[in-house]
Amino acid sequence: MINGETRLVGIIGWPVEHSLSPVMHNAAFHHRGMNWAYVPLPVPPDRLRDAVRGLRALGFRGANVTIPHKQAVIPLVDSITPEAQAVGAVNTIVVESDGRMWGTNTDVLGFWSDLQAHDVQVEGERVLVLGAGGAARAVVYALARAGAQVTIANRTPARAVALARHMHHMLPARAFRVVEWTVQDLARAAEEHTILVNTTSVGMWPEVDASPWPTGVGFGRIRVVYDVIYRPQETRLLQHARAWGCKTIGGLGMLVRQGAEAWRLWTDQVPPVQVMEEAVRRGLAER
Ligand code: ATR
């Protein structure tokens, strides 16, 4: 029950009512018997500065940040982590007891720890990443930092090139390749890579019949296919990859683990990942 000692965290977005984060985080607090609450904080863009300052004034331990504020919030915190710098977006703010605020991006660790949870080792592996948007940045950085050789393919090639440059700047010891978004190039890439990660929105509900992988093209030497999409939980891409014999992983684990990482940063406790996952599954089922 909320009382005079309840500690607060929340999610800043516009809109926020469809977010699964409140049920995920509150389930974890409840499970541990912790007197904390995670509240929705709908903030229009012209109020973002006031809202972020307000976290400190109101004694919040932190907040998640979502669309459309993930970039705009960067200059409003005192510092950001290399993860946030790499992704170019902050999705989690932590407020220290002296009022100092820092921003990070937990998608990087969320993706990486979900790979670990699925026993996927990426060091030395060649990984083909589809897409060059925000999700791609987190994925490419996590993979390259863990020692993978990353190739990027994107419908708009200039964005793939820009992403490769930015990542090389963040991790100078790593090389990043770019391949064209054509049937021939993707088919060839399938023979040269062992892991495929989709970070595009192709196949996301309600366009569930769409796939970013060209129709009729096999997966070559690819053994593992990861789709960051979590709705549906098995996309058309994953269905095809499973039929080909690949190990397939949907985006639910990354969603849960990016949240679990934020929870850990705020509470300094090991998050109950299973409880958080069940809460997200229930939330999705209600939609
Ligand atoms: P997010 O932050 O979720 O990654 P985003 O920055 O809008 O979202 O990126 C969406 C990604 O999906 C991009 O790589 C986009 O390709 P473009 O850069 O060419 O726009 C990709 N994408 C979206 N719709 C697509 C489609 N129909 N075919 C191929 N790629 C698509």
Side-chain angles (χ1 to χ4, degrees), residues 131-136 154-156 159 181 199-202:
N154 193 52
R155 177 180 62 178
T156 309
R159 287 188 85 194
W181 186 264
T199 72
T200 77
S201 49
V202 184

